[in-house]
């Protein structure tokens, strides 16, 4: 047992990626001796991979066709119109896939850091392809457990490692553009639900769930789409690679956490001694001098080593735990609405299947837009936390509106609420890699991002199972009028978004707030609205510190780190509270 515990400890503490010089030389080229690698090539590669992974969001379009083929028709007349009723069985495959997605990302995140993104993307593509083929077989032989195993377990695992594979290298190659890099890495995941519903309908047959009339059918659809996804993901994986050792942009390296970048820049490249192996290159184009980077620096900068955080320390820090809760609360609403949106549009809003697919695609567009816009804004304003606060507040407001909007069948208000929730749901995914890199360094982002995705997985599985259980009980209670069948579910989710607002406010992002040593009896700390540091002690007493007191304590702390000679004055207002 002790050996197993030691193995787990090693797995989550070792993130060193070792490469030979010959491999580093090869990775300088995208096409050997023809086209040199540029960090911006990673972005279209990430988009291709994430579009394929994002097909997960369109799985709700498979719910009714899968249940029709395995269990037979389940059609009722509503206002003289035939409507296929969701049995609530196939939709659970989505939640199992989400669970395996998160668990795999958490477990293989450190492995990805040690082995590189190419191997991770290739493994993910293979697993996802196998999952699609097994699902096709399960539907063909009418074996629902095989569908759960194929798409839920195998496919979900493939999606988990594929999702984080492009995120980690982009955060490392673009430490100066963490928000934009994160948005580029994950934005196309939302795009998957824009394209997939149309291809699914065209291949299966648009009225198959109601009439049984098909084009190619469900099994063939999984085979065809799975094959296309596999080819695209494998091609894109050849672009992925980590930056060379010692890579920096504008004084920011893979160890730098937010607030320490001013410290790094105080040690200029010219101070390197002659015996330190160094090479100056351009991050974007070797023929220009717009961005200088330092590669293969043998001795790390003093400030970098002083403020860098290990993976194990990052994962057990109070701020990481708060971020985990915040991310869970931010994603649960959008996740559950996305899984049911086509059923809501068809059954509660009385629209046809074409309209439902269109709405699902627009929802995917909002998801995608959030993943691009919010990270970009966070780079512009140099803040991440405030956008999570805004996201959770907006989701709370529109989630509270949604039950009445559906009950009154106010189509426009219902769609507005769903689109706003989807926008901020996607925004959370776009923001979180950059926020994690700010807090714990891009060196750890593959693992910290992988672990935090388990919050999304828990929201998908735990939240999804509760959602479906409540839904089924409400169907029995309210049948045949199912207009308000989702009200109770929306009410309990509202409690989590409200909790998320509170938690997000108290996440410390200021370097001083995070790093100043605890005082005897100190229970917690925060920054008051005027930026002053406040400590909370166990007897529930509060002490607010003056700027002078804090500066003196900070300078004393820096002297203990022996980096004071290379560090200029850090003002309290340099980072948000």
């Amino acid at each position: 047992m002790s050996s197993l515990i030691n193995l787990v400890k090693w797995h989550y503490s070792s993130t060193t990626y070792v490469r030979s010089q010959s491999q580093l030389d090869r990775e300088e080229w995208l096409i050997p001796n023809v086209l040199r690698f540029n960090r911006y090539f990673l972005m279209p590669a990430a988009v291709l991979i994430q579009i394929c992974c994002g097909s997960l969001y369109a799985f709700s379009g498979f719910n009714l066709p899968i249940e029709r083929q395995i269990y037979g028709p389940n059609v009722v007349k509503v206002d003289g119109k035939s409507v296929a009723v969701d049995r609530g069985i196939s939709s659970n495959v989505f939640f199992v896939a989400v669970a395996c997605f998160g668990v795999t990302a958490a477990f293989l995140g450190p492995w990805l850091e040690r082995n590189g993104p190419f191997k991770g993307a290739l493994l993910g593509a293979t697993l996802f392809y196998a999952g699609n083929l097994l699902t096709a077989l399960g539907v063909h032989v009418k074996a629902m457990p095989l569908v759960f195993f194929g798409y839920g377990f195998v496919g979900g695992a493939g999606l988990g490692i594929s999702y984080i594979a492009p995120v980690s290298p982009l955060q490392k190659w673009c430490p100066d553009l963490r928000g934009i890099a994160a948005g580029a890495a994950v934005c196309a995941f939302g795009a998957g639900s824009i394209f997939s519903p149309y291809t699914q309908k065209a291949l299966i047959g648009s009225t198959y769930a109601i009439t049984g009339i098909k084009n190619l059918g469900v099994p063939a659809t999984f085979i065809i789409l799975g094959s296309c996804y596999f080819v695209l993901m494998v091609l894109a994986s050849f672009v992925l690679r980590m930056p060379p050792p010692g890579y920096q942009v504008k004084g920011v390296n893979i160890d730098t956490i937010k607030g320490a970048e001013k410290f790094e820049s105080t040690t200029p490249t010219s101070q390197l001694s002659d015996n330190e192996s160094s090479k100056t290159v351009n991050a974007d184009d070797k023929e220009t001098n717009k961005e200088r980077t330092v590669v293969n620096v043998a001795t790390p900068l003093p400030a970098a080593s002083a403020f860098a955080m290990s993976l194990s320390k990052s994962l057990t820090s109070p701020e990481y735990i708060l971020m985990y809760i915040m991310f869970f609360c931010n994603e649960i609403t959008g996740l559950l609405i996305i899984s049911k949106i086509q059923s809501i549009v068809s059954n509660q809003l009385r629209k046809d299947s074409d309209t439902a697919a269109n709405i699902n695609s627009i929802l995917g567009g909002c998801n995608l837009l959030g993943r691009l816009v919010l990270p970009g804004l966070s780079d512009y304003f140099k803040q991440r936390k405030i956008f999570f606060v805004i996201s959770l507040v907006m989701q709370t407001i529109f989630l509270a509106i949604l039950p009445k909007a559906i009950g009154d069948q106010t189509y426009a208000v219902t769609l507005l609420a769903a689109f706003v929730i989807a926008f901020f749901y996607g925004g959370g995914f776009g923001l979180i890699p950059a926020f994690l890199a700010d807090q714990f360094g891009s060196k750890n982002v593959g693992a910290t991002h992988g672990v935090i995705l388990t919050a999304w997985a828990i929201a998908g599985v735990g939240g999804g199972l509760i959602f479906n259980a409540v839904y089924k009980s409400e169907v029995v209670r309210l049948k045949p009028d199912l207009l308000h069948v989702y009200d109770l579910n929306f009410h309990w989710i509202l409690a989590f978004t409200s909790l998320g607002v509170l938690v997000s406010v108290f996440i410390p992002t200021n370097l001083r707030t995070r790093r100043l040593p605890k005082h005897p009896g100190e229970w917690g700390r925060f920054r008051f609205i005027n930026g002053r540091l406040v400590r909370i002690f166990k007897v529930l007493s509060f002490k607010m510190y003056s700027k002078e007191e804090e500066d003196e304590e900070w300078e004393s702390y820096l002297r203990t780190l022996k980096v004071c000679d290379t560090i200029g004055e850090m003002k309290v207002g340099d980072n948000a509270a």
Side-chain angles (χ1 to χ4, degrees), residues 122-328:
L122 202 59
L123 174 63
T126 303
L127 288 173
F128 186 45
Y129 187 39
N132 275 278
L133 296 180
L134 287 171
T135 305
L137 179 62
V139 175
H140 179 70
V141 301
K142 302 184 187 302
M144 196 67 189
L146 187 54
V147 175
F148 272 91
F149 176 73
Y151 199 93
F153 287 95
V154 180
L159 289 171
I161 188 63
S162 296
Y163 181 85
I164 63 173
V167 174
S168 179
L170 266 168
Q171 285 297 303
K172 292 175 175 61
W173 279 102
C174 306
D176 53 328
L177 300 169
R178 285 174 173 170
I180 293 173
V186 304
C187 69
F189 196 82
S193 60
I194 298 176
F195 307 110
S196 295
Y198 296 106
T199 55
Q200 290 169 7
K201 278 182 54 185
L203 293 171
I204 295 172
S206 60
T207 63
Y208 173 72
I210 299 173
T211 64
I213 299 173
K214 64 182 180 180
N215 291 336
L216 296 179
V218 180
T221 298
F222 276 105
I223 293 172
I224 292 169
L225 293 180
S227 299
C228 293
Y229 298 149
F230 179 71
V231 171
L232 292 174
M233 293 169 80
V234 169
L235 288 175
S237 68
F238 284 98
V239 182
L240 304 183
R241 63 204 66 196
M242 294 295 193
Y247 175 86
Q248 300 173 33
V249 179
K250 298 177 181 177
V252 181
N253 61 26
I254 63 173
D255 289 308
T256 305
I257 63 174
K258 187 178 179 184
E261 62 273 7
K262 293 180 184 253
F263 294 22
E264 321 288 353
S265 62
T266 58
T267 306
T269 305
S270 60
Q271 290 182 7
L272 295 171
S273 62
D274 293 336
N275 60 357
E276 289 175 333
S277 174
S278 66
K279 177 174 64 173
T280 303
V281 301
N282 192 310
D284 303 315
D285 186 340
K286 295 203 173 194
E287 300 302 320
T288 69
N289 292 312
K290 292 180 180 178
E291 288 186 17
R292 306 304 293 177
T293 68
V294 178
V295 177
N296 294 334
V297 178
T299 305
L301 293 175
S305 59
F307 292 106
M309 296 182 69
S310 67
L311 176 58
S312 56
K313 185 177 180 181
S314 299
L315 294 175
T316 55
S317 64
E319 53 263 43
Y320 188 83
I321 294 169
L322 290 174
M323 290 174 70
Y324 190 96
I325 297 170
M326 174 201 71
F327 188 66
F328 173 89

Side-chain angles (χ1 to χ4, degrees), residues 502-525:
L502 183 65
V503 169
S504 63
V505 169
F506 286 97
I507 295 173
T509 58
N510 184 291
L511 186 62
R512 293 189 180 193
T513 307
R514 298 176 62 200
R515 291 306 182 89
L516 280 173
K518 281 190 174 183
H519 283 195
E522 182 182 343
W523 179 79
R525 63 182 70 171

Side-chain angles (χ1 to χ4, degrees), residues 264-441:
E264 321 288 353
S265 62
T266 58
T267 306
T269 305
S270 60
Q271 290 182 7
L272 295 171
S273 62
D274 293 336
N275 60 357
E276 289 175 333
S277 174
S278 66
K279 177 174 64 173
T280 303
V281 301
N282 192 310
D284 303 315
D285 186 340
K286 295 203 173 194
E287 300 302 320
T288 69
N289 292 312
K290 292 180 180 178
E291 288 186 17
R292 306 304 293 177
T293 68
V294 178
V295 177
N296 294 334
V297 178
T299 305
L301 293 175
S305 59
F307 292 106
M309 296 182 69
S310 67
L311 176 58
S312 56
K313 185 177 180 181
S314 299
L315 294 175
T316 55
S317 64
E319 53 263 43
Y320 188 83
I321 294 169
L322 290 174
M323 290 174 70
Y324 190 96
I325 297 170
M326 174 201 71
F327 188 66
F328 173 89
C329 296
N330 192 80
E331 303 309 311
I332 188 170
T333 308
L335 178 63
L336 297 178
I337 287 178
I338 285 170
S339 72
K340 286 292 186 180
I341 188 61
Q342 294 197 58
S343 297
I344 290 173
V345 172
S346 297
N347 299 333
Q348 276 65 47
L349 301 179
R350 307 286 194 263
K351 303 298 179 180
D352 58 37
S353 62
D354 289 336
T355 302
N358 290 337
I359 296 304
N360 195 51
S361 294
I362 297 171
L363 203 72
C366 295
N367 184 351
L368 182 154
L369 198 63
R371 292 167 187 251
L372 283 174
V373 173
L374 291 188
L377 288 174
S378 75
D379 269 353
Y380 181 79
F381 290 102
K382 302 188 185 304
Q383 296 291 335
R384 321 284 182 204
K385 186 175 83 170
I386 186 61
F387 289 99
F388 269 110
V389 175
I390 293 171
S391 172
L392 285 155
V393 168
M394 294 298 289
Q395 288 190 67
T396 300
I397 292 170
F398 281 95
L399 183 59
I401 292 172
L402 204 50
K404 181 170 175 54
I406 294 175
D408 293 344
Q409 290 189 301
T410 49
Y411 188 58
V413 177
T414 300
L415 294 188
L416 175 64
F419 293 158
V420 169
I421 289 170
F423 175 84
F424 285 106
Y425 167 82
F429 274 103
L431 286 167
I432 198 64
F435 199 5
L436 290 167
D438 283 351
Q439 296 287 84
F440 311 109

Side-chain angles (χ1 to χ4, degrees), residues 97-112:
V98 167
C100 291
F101 182 118
V103 171
T104 305
F107 181 70
L108 291 182
W111 176 87
L112 178 74

Side-chain angles (χ1 to χ4, degrees), residues 484-501:
H484 294 276
V485 74
Y486 293 104
D487 289 9
L488 188 57
N489 270 316
F490 292 147
H491 291 154
W492 70 259
I493 297 171
L494 190 62
F496 283 101
T497 59
S498 302
L499 172 64
V501 173

